[in-house]
Amino acid sequence: SGVEVYTTGYDRELTDVIYTGSRFIAGGRIGSIFTSTDGITWTVVPGSSYSGGSPLSSRIHALASANGVVLAGGGWDEDGYV
């Protein structure tokens, strides 16, 4: 089908991925944030929860990028989603 599947190599569920025009940014469980220039090799963003530096305890549900700025949105409700 022309689709190739790769893993990030990390054990976090990702909930959104965007392309900014120069890099991919992925967000997911417990405030995890990763970047990639090729969509295959991923790097943990320093300060994100996966690296132990984020105060976030909620899931990132949405990412958006415009004019060099990336925004992330997310949270939890009693079912675990917002």
Side-chain angles (χ1 to χ4, degrees):
S1 68
V3 175
E4 295 184 42
V5 177
Y6 297 92
T7 66
T8 62
Y10 300 100
D11 66 349
R12 292 287 195 263
E13 174 186 288
L14 300 178
T15 52
D16 197 15
V17 178
I18 62 169
Y19 185 67
T20 66
S22 61
R23 64 185 168 156
F24 294 92
I25 301 175
R29 282 189 69 199
I30 315 172
S32 301
I33 305 169
F34 304 89
T35 63
S36 174
T37 56
D38 60 11
I40 298 171
T41 304
W42 292 86
T43 303
V44 175
V45 171
S48 74
S49 69
Y50 197 88
S51 68
S54 172
L56 295 175
S57 61
S58 61
R59 179 183 313 236
I60 294 173
H61 288 282
L63 295 166
S65 173
N67 300 321
V69 176
V70 176
L71 298 174
W76 292 101
D77 64 11
E78 52 279 348
D79 294 323
Y81 302 97
V82 170

